[in-house]
Amino acid sequence: MTTHQTKYPFQDTTMALNDRVKDLVSRLTDDEKIESMLQYQPAVERLGVAAYKHGTEAAHGLAWLGEATSFPQPVGLACTWDTDLMKEIGSVIGDEARVFYKRNPAVNGLTLWAPTVDMERDPRWGRNEEAYGEDPELTAELTTALVKGIQGDHPKYYKAVATLKHFLGNNNEVDRGSGSSSIDPRNMREYYLKAFEKPFKQGGAQSMMTAYNSINGTPALLHPFVNEIVKGEWGMDGFIVSDAGDVMGIKNDHQYYDSHIPGTVESVKAGIDSITDDAELSKQALREGLEQGLLTMEDIDKALFNTFRVRFRLGEFDPEEGNPYAAIGEESMMTEKAKALSLRAAREQVVLLKNDKGTLPLDKTKAGKVAVIGQLGGTVYRDWYAGTMPYSVTPLEAIRSKVGSDHVTFRDGDNRITLTSAASGKKIGLVRAEGSTVMAVKASEEAETFRVTDWGFGSYTLQAESNGKYLTTDEESVTASANEVYGWFVKEVFHLLPQPDGGVGLTTWNNKIVTTPNHGNDALKMSEELKTFGAAETFQQNVVVNGMDEAVAAAKEAETAIVFVGNNPLVNGKEEVDRPSLELAESQLQLVQAVYNANPNTVVVIVGSYPFTCNWVQENIPAILYTSHAGQELGNAVADVLYGDYAPAGRLNMTWVQSADQLPDIRDYDIIQAGRTYQYFEGSVLYPFGHGLTYAPFKYSNLEINPAQADPDETVTIRVDVTNTGSISNDEVVQLYVRAGKSRVKRPLKTLKAFRRLHIEAGTTATVRFDLPVQELAIWDVTRDRYVVEDGIYSIMAAKSSSDVQLVADLKVEGEMIPARHLSVTTRAENYDAYLGVELDECKEGGTAVRVIGELGWIAFKDADLGKQATTFEARISAEQQGGVLEVRLGAPDGAIAGRVELSQGSAQQWSTVTAKLTGAAGVQDVYLLLPGGARVRHFEIR
């Protein structure tokens, strides 16, 4: 910790904050400034400045620092729809961050990398567990509350600092470091940016992390939106941090520049204040950028002002007695209050998906025998960004505590097998190497029994029965030495490949073949990557215990069977790995079917990090619960809901579709044209956004809007009465959706604008009030580059979910009529109204270009006023192919040709101005530009 004295002006607490920060930065030498541009800022002892680290993971509790309170995954927290809860969770995370900081301030920083605000418009995203769903309003409100909790409410000091991530358009893992997300202005303003805006403007978030991907061809950490919108338009006065390795990734992954110097320089100019990357390479690039005149010390001073200003506001340079957060100590670590909050969060996030004929809650006084079935019923898993739990309660343990251990049987449904090498006839066993505690997996005289868990899609884990350890690999041999399935590279995953002789081939997580050496009892080895199916050595597997048979037998003997299915959060979907499918693992579905056939009193609990397609389960099983991997209190929360000690009210934060075939390509970021999310999807779904049943019935009445007619600068008050008509108390989540009437553009089927979770006692009525600024109804008008509230009638809907609307009332808005667009002014091509066969890319002259990705593409500009007669078309174009033609057509892509121009072959960024004479271009028309493959257009005029 620093010693507080007034040797320098920056130590004077009576000075204005900005003046103190400027004074400190001015006293650093050039070399100290360069050193301080990195994630690990070094100590400057001569000034009394301590070492500091930017970046502590805190997605749902502090991670990787030691034991800390564990909360449900963010995908689960989102299902609470509870902003008050989120603020309380944020406060606990901030408290515990202070404790870790006090333990080791040089390593355990107070700038926390959370929450993840990325829009989840595709459930196949490997990092689905880390964010808050498919709706920007839900995400914005929940993350704003979390930010407020983390940072505290003191007028001068922050408890800790929240870092919003990842800006922007980061919702696929495939090629995330080199790919580009194509996002047009309406999608950008109405969807992707909306989620980030409130956490900054209302939550006051003091930090942000940029994404690995490019946005419209420009690496995110170089994108002008960082300075123009985040720091400019939204007034964010904290600092921006790059994601790990991303500054060097400008060259290494994006291949945007051919050296590290320009990328590093441009990232700082584009708003990156703290570099999380190879320290020596980064510092060298900064130094060379300064020497070459590409970067100035003023640029670096600006970045350091931003990072040190946050450190000042954390109280680092002030006497501790004036900062209430400095007194937080060990007494605030994993408190009873935090434990209770973890249980509350785990309970609130449970979603009752189905409950036919009041199957739930179960009566623990009349339970009879209960069969708990499925690996997920007996384990609490943690994901990559989870911390070390101080304890964990499994569903099995909690159910036993409810009904008594004597009444509960548990079967995980997994087979127990032994393996024999087909080549040598040797059994596969565990052998302790001399002088080692590690059990190597070797050809042996005695066979080891392995519990095999099938996670689906070819991924298995094998656990040795004799020592309880998972099989893992060090790239040379296989050992039974892992306590859990965990790691950046999940080396506990193996693939069992069926062979023609009835045996199996064994390959590792990275497709290396597992073989037995020819000379006897050496450990199983890794050979080269599997090239062709059937090339692996064959092992004969002998099933010692049939897990399915055991589960069925237990179900037959029980009054009730509770089957747990779902995912391991480190298998088949995680950072850098998108999901192979939305389906439950086939073996899990078969387990559910077999148990149900044996006992129709079957309840299914889905424990998962993301939505699943489980149509058979929905059609046949009478009661279904969903929970995320909810941390230390997972088991207690599930058992409380199952047995009625807590009445569920969680709501889904994402649409659960019936099939992945209903989704467009995972790289398609246009939710409007592609029909993504509940806002635009018109097909049938398994479970809609906002869905969740309760144990108590609720009746909605008396929906009122005041005033019923309003201007865009007004706020309307909406009230609705909600009555609990049942016999038990229950939470209810009241959801407010809006649908626009007539519009110039395609509008959402409905859009969430507000929500409220509240507890309503049995037989009572609560009046719920929402204050809705009419500006919240605005769309982004691409014809004039601004938000517009259109004139017309808006349907205000009080709902239980996006598909369960209870009441509707009309609001008349005296807004604008968007006029016909004028193409006589310079019109950016990205401001199209419709398109086919194109995506957005970078223009090296500045801004965004439309690029044709197939043989032919078009962009449309609707309701264009061409006047009495437009005669000239002029555009800024680049073309990569010889003989291409640009056509201007009217009315439709195959409408009348008004003009055409042949394009000269060049390169992707060789820009030129082309012109064409127009005929028949008059009046108000829909104008289409047809472009050949490889062509790009930046802007154009028709006059």
Side-chain angles (χ1 to χ4, degrees):
M1 301 292 291
T2 57
T3 56
H4 298 287
Q5 49 186 322
T6 56
K7 181 178 179 180
Y8 302 106
F10 73 82
Q11 296 164 331
D12 182 358
T13 59
T14 66
M15 285 180 61
L17 173 62
N18 288 358
D19 292 338
R20 295 178 68 192
V21 180
K22 289 177 182 176
D23 179 71
L24 171 57
V25 173
S26 72
R27 296 180 184 280
L28 299 173
T29 66
D30 287 358
D31 196 55
E32 288 168 344
K33 290 179 179 180
I34 291 171
E35 295 277 345
S36 297
M37 287 294 293
L38 277 297
Q39 177 191 13
Y40 288 86
Q41 293 184 310
V44 184
E45 294 181 2
R46 65 184 181 83
L47 297 177
V49 177
Y52 188 84
K53 177 195 173 186
H54 292 298
T56 296
E57 298 292 353
H60 47 117
L62 274 296
W64 307 346
L65 303 182
E67 288 186 355
T69 303
S70 170
F71 296 99
Q73 296 173 300
V75 65
L77 293 177
C79 291
T80 68
W81 292 56
D82 190 337
T83 53
D84 292 338
L85 171 70
M86 293 300 295
K87 187 174 181 181
E88 291 185 48
I89 289 172
S91 184
V92 168
I93 291 172
D95 285 345
E96 296 191 354
R98 278 280 171 179
V99 177
F100 279 115
Y101 176 68
K102 187 167 283 188
R103 289 176 182 174
N104 190 343
V107 175
N108 302 332
L110 290 171
T111 46
L112 311 182
W113 285 355
T116 296
V117 189
D118 299 307
M119 280 287 83
E120 297 188 303
R121 49 77 218 152
D122 197 303
R124 294 167 295 193
W125 187 33
R127 301 181 74 174
N128 188 84
E129 66 206 19
E130 296 180 36
Y132 290 80
E134 69 181 40
D135 182 77
E137 173 70 11
L138 178 64
T139 295
E141 290 290 345
L142 294 177
T143 56
T144 294
L146 189 75
V147 167
K148 288 179 177 179
I150 287 172
Q151 298 190 166
D153 53 11
H154 194 273
K156 182 176 181 180
Y157 296 109
Y158 291 120
K159 182 189 293 187
V161 162
T163 300
L164 308 186
K165 57 183 191 177
H166 312 83
F167 191 85
L168 188 69
N170 178 34
N171 189 218
N172 63 273
E173 294 302 290
V174 177
D175 299 327
R176 65 174 184 171
S178 57
S180 179
S181 302
S182 178
I183 306 175
D184 66 75
R186 270 200 70 203
N187 277 279
M188 185 72 76
R189 287 285 186 169
E190 296 176 23
Y191 188 66
Y192 294 99
L193 289 174
K194 276 295 178 187
F196 280 87
E197 186 173 1
K198 281 186 180 178
F200 281 124
K201 293 176 70 174
Q202 297 181 18
Q206 284 289 289
S207 184
M208 184 186 83
M209 178 184 287
T210 50
Y212 282 117
N213 54 278
S214 288
I215 305 166
N216 298 341
T218 301
L221 70 176
L222 303 182
H223 202 280
F225 279 2
V226 174
N227 278 330
E228 292 175 4
I229 294 180
V230 178
K231 291 185 175 181
E233 190 175 314
W234 295 342
M236 185 266 206
D237 59 357
F239 72 96
I240 311 294
V241 60
S242 64
D243 207 341
D246 199 22
V247 172
M248 298 301 107
I250 297 171
K251 171 186 178 293
N252 294 340
D253 301 319
H254 290 287
Q255 300 180 356
Y256 193 79
Y257 292 116
D258 57 9
S259 82
H260 292 307
I261 299 169
T264 308
V265 166
E266 291 302 319
S267 68
V268 174
K269 288 186 172 183
I272 298 298
D273 303 305
S274 176
I275 297 172
T276 311
D277 215 312
D278 184 290
E280 295 308 315
L281 282 177
S282 300
K283 289 185 287 187
Q284 184 63 27
L286 290 172
R287 292 189 180 100
E288 293 189 28
L290 289 165
E291 291 171 3
Q292 296 174 22
L294 302 174
L295 190 69
T296 67
M297 288 309 300
E298 287 74 21
D299 295 322
I300 289 180
D301 286 351
K302 186 176 179 180
L304 294 178
F305 175 87
N306 293 332
T307 55
F308 276 105
R309 186 178 187 276
V310 167
R311 289 177 64 176
F312 270 89
R313 292 209 63 187
L314 286 165
E316 181 181 345
F317 300 98
D318 293 1
E320 290 189 353
E321 56 266 25
N323 177 4
Y325 303 128
I328 295 174
E330 293 294 332
E331 74 285 346
S332 296
M333 197 72 197
M334 296 180 289
T335 64
E336 288 300 310
K337 183 178 179 181
K339 178 180 176 181
L341 189 65
S342 177
L343 175 59
R344 174 185 163 193
R347 283 169 156 182
E348 286 196 20
Q349 56 92 52
V350 175
V351 182
L352 180 58
L353 297 174
K354 182 181 179 182
N355 194 25
D356 277 2
K357 299 179 181 179
T359 299
L360 295 178
L362 303 172
D363 188 341
K364 56 177 173 281
T365 66
K366 302 175 182 178
K369 286 191 175 181
V370 179
V372 176
I373 295 169
Q375 175 58 218
L376 286 149
T379 311
V380 176
Y381 290 102
R382 62 185 182 126
D383 59 44
W384 176 243
Y385 288 110
T388 302
M389 296 179 230
Y391 65 91
S392 63
V393 180
T394 68
L396 173 63
E397 291 168 336
I399 291 169
R400 280 177 171 162
S401 72
K402 294 284 185 191
V403 302
S405 296
D406 293 344
H407 295 279
V408 180
T409 57
F410 174 66
R411 297 292 183 267
D412 55 32
D414 292 337
N415 286 346
R416 270 63 175 175
I417 67 169
T418 60
L419 294 172
T420 304
S421 169
S424 66
K426 290 275 191 178
K427 299 173 183 177
I428 306 302
L430 303 189
V431 179
R432 189 186 305 277
E434 186 175 347
S436 173
T437 60
V438 174
M439 303 299 289
V441 182
K442 296 186 176 184
S444 171
E445 297 299 326
E446 184 175 346
E448 173 67 23
T449 300
F450 300 104
R451 179 174 65 85
V452 182
T453 304
D454 177 4
W455 294 107
F457 318 104
S459 296
Y460 297 81
T461 54
L462 289 84
Q463 189 175 20
E465 293 270 278
S466 63
N467 71 352
K469 304 287 188 179
Y470 286 93
L471 267 59
T472 188
T473 174
D474 59 4
E475 300 307 300
E476 291 185 0
S477 61
V478 178
T479 59
S481 58
N483 293 320
E484 62 180 328
V485 179
Y486 191 78
W488 180 260
F489 300 111
V490 189
K491 298 180 180 181
E492 293 73 45
V493 170
F494 289 82
H495 311 294
L496 275 61
L497 307 177
Q499 300 296 302
D501 62 0
V504 294
L506 206 59
T507 61
T508 65
W509 65 279
N510 56 349
N511 295 318
K512 297 291 182 67
I513 302 171
V514 178
T515 62
T516 53
N518 293 328
H519 54 275
N521 293 337
D522 286 350
L524 270 63
K525 296 289 186 182
M526 308 298 101
S527 66
E528 73 278 357
E529 185 175 344
L530 184 66
K531 301 297 182 184
T532 58
F533 183 83
E537 178 180 343
T538 296
F539 295 88
Q540 298 299 326
Q541 59 173 333
N542 175 47
V543 178
V544 178
V545 175
N546 186 298
M548 183 83 74
D549 291 347
E550 277 200 334
V552 168
K556 286 180 178 179
E557 295 176 359
E559 180 73 21
T560 304
I562 306 172
V563 185
F564 287 80
V565 294
N567 77 301
N568 181 310
L570 274 294
V571 180
N572 293 331
K574 61 177 289 291
E575 188 165 359
E576 288 202 330
V577 180
D578 287 317
R579 297 172 64 188
S581 171
L582 298 180
E583 298 170 356
L584 285 172
E586 184 179 358
S587 60
Q588 291 186 356
L589 178 57
Q590 291 171 350
L591 181 65
V592 172
Q593 292 170 333
V595 170
Y596 177 69
N597 287 336
N599 185 341
N601 296 321
T602 294
V603 176
V604 167
V605 180
I606 300 172
V607 186
S609 306
Y610 31 63
F612 294 88
T613 53
C614 44
N615 300 292
W616 188 94
V617 178
Q618 167 60 22
E619 290 168 6
N620 293 277
I621 301 299
I624 309 168
L625 292 179
Y626 166 72
T627 172
S628 72
H629 294 277
Q632 61 195 44
E633 291 286 347
L634 167 66
N636 285 331
V638 170
D640 285 348
V641 171
L642 286 170
Y643 288 96
D645 292 323
Y646 182 81
R651 300 293 195 270
L652 294 179
N653 66 325
M654 298 184 73
T655 302
W656 288 35
V657 297
Q658 293 178 338
S659 169
D661 293 339
Q662 294 175 302
L663 300 173
D665 189 278
I666 193 172
R667 297 294 301 274
D668 187 344
Y669 276 77
D670 185 344
I671 72 161
I672 300 173
Q673 181 160 301
R676 283 188 182 274
T677 80
Y678 78 94
Q679 293 193 43
Y680 293 98
F681 183 68
E682 298 185 16
S684 298
V685 302
L686 181 61
Y687 303 116
F689 172 80
H691 171 71
L693 306 177
T694 53
Y695 287 164
F698 291 93
K699 179 184 178 182
Y700 287 52
S701 60
N702 303 325
L703 177 62
E704 297 178 354
I705 304 173
N706 185 30
Q709 180 172 323
D711 296 328
D713 59 351
E714 292 186 79
T715 294
V716 299
T717 298
I718 300 161
R719 289 183 174 86
V720 63
D721 290 341
V722 182
T723 303
N724 181 342
T725 61
S727 58
I728 64 170
S729 300
N730 212 136
D731 285 4
E732 173 67 344
V733 179
V734 183
Q735 303 168 39
L736 191 74
Y737 294 89
V738 174
R739 177 168 182 161
K742 185 178 180 182
S743 175
R744 178 190 176 275
V745 296
K746 180 181 179 181
R747 297 290 289 266
L749 302 170
K750 58 179 69 72
T751 306
L752 183 72
K753 287 300 177 186
F755 59 91
R756 184 80 39 77
R757 180 168 182 146
L758 70 163
H759 188 75
I760 305 178
E761 295 294 328
T764 66
T765 298
T767 299
V768 182
R769 168 177 168 167
F770 299 104
D771 294 319
L772 178 66
V774 178
Q775 275 296 329
E776 289 289 313
L777 308 180
I779 60 168
W780 185 255
D781 177 15
V782 297
T783 74
R784 294 174 292 176
D785 288 319
R786 63 178 176 87
Y787 284 110
V788 169
V789 178
E790 288 186 294
D791 186 81
I793 304 296
Y794 291 79
S795 297
I796 308 297
M797 296 171 272
K800 293 184 177 181
S801 79
S802 60
S803 68
D804 189 0
V805 175
Q806 298 292 297
L807 299 169
V808 182
D810 288 342
L811 170 66
K812 180 174 175 56
V813 175
E814 300 288 343
E816 295 183 58
M817 290 285 291
I818 299 175
R821 68 190 302 166
H822 291 278
L823 303 181
S824 58
V825 298
T826 299
T827 300
R828 298 200 312 277
E830 65 175 324
N831 277 335
Y832 50 67
D833 290 303
Y835 65 93
L836 181 69
V838 304
E839 67 179 13
L840 297 178
D841 199 1
E842 185 184 59
C843 172
K844 291 292 188 182
E845 292 186 336
T848 300
V850 171
R851 178 174 73 95
V852 177
I853 55 177
E855 294 183 4
L856 181 70
W858 56 258
I859 49 178
F861 300 82
K862 304 291 185 69
D863 304 318
D865 188 348
L866 302 177
K868 292 183 179 180
Q869 179 62 57
T871 60
T872 305
F873 169 84
E874 182 176 293
R876 195 69 176 159
I877 297 286
S878 76
E880 298 179 57
Q881 299 180 19
Q882 183 69 35
V885 175
L886 182 154
E887 293 181 343
V888 181
R889 290 181 178 259
L890 303 177
D894 58 353
I897 297 178
R900 64 194 307 274
V901 59
E902 293 187 4
L903 306 179
S904 300
Q905 182 179 6
S907 64
Q909 296 294 338
Q910 185 177 333
W911 294 88
S912 62
T913 300
V914 300
T915 59
K917 292 183 179 180
L918 300 179
T919 58
V924 178
Q925 301 259 22
D926 291 347
V927 175
Y928 288 77
L929 304 186
L930 276 68
L931 297 153
R936 289 172 172 81
V937 55
R938 179 190 181 194
H939 58 72
F940 69 95
E941 296 176 17
I942 293 179
R943 56 187 186 273

